[in-house]
Amino acid sequence: MTIMVPDINTDGESAVSETVIEAVAETANVDTTALPPLYYYVESDALNKLFGRRRTGASAITTEFVYDGYEVRVTGGDEITVTVEERPEMEPGAAGIDIE
C-alpha cells in the first residue's frame, strides 16, 4: 500500500508519524489504537522533522523501518510518500543466516 501525502505539515495539524500509524492500521485492518506506540520502533520527532516540510528541488530522501511487523518506507522530495508492506513470516533460523 502506498499513500501520497501532499502538503504534509503545511497546515500544522498533520505529521508524517501520524500518517505512518494510519497507513499501518489501514493495511492491518485495525484501529490505530490497537497498534503499539510508534516511538518503540522509530524516533517519531526526528521522523516528523526530517519530513516536516517540502524539499522542492532537493534530492529525495528515504528512510525505512519495521513497525509492528510491517515494512514502512517514507520518501520525501517534492512530494512525500508512505509505503507499507506486510513483512513475510520468517522461518526459525532464517534471520539472514544460511544454515547448512
Side-chain angles (χ1 to χ4, degrees), residues 60-96:
I61 55 172
T62 299
T63 188
E64 298 178 346
F65 54 93
V66 174
Y67 175 41
D68 198 38
Y70 291 86
E71 292 181 19
V72 178
R73 182 174 49 256
V74 181
T75 303
D78 289 338
E79 293 183 329
I80 297 173
T81 59
V82 176
T83 305
V84 177
E85 295 179 5
E86 190 167 0
R87 211 166 170 195
E89 292 287 327
M90 295 186 76
E91 296 292 323

Side-chain angles (χ1 to χ4, degrees), residues 6-69:
D7 301 324
I8 195 159
N9 282 344
T10 57
D11 59 5
E13 294 178 16
S14 60
V16 72
S17 61
E18 294 171 10
T19 303
V20 166
I21 294 167
E22 291 167 4
V24 170
E26 186 175 328
T27 302
N29 199 27
V30 299
D31 189 75
T32 57
T33 59
L35 295 173
L38 182 61
Y39 61 80
Y40 287 176
Y41 298 86
V42 67
E43 176 58 52
S44 304
D45 290 337
L47 188 66
N48 291 335
K49 286 179 184 176
L50 186 60
F51 294 98
R53 57 187 170 276
R54 282 183 177 252
R55 300 171 44 85
T56 305
S59 299
I61 55 172
T62 299
T63 188
E64 298 178 346
F65 54 93
V66 174
Y67 175 41
D68 198 38

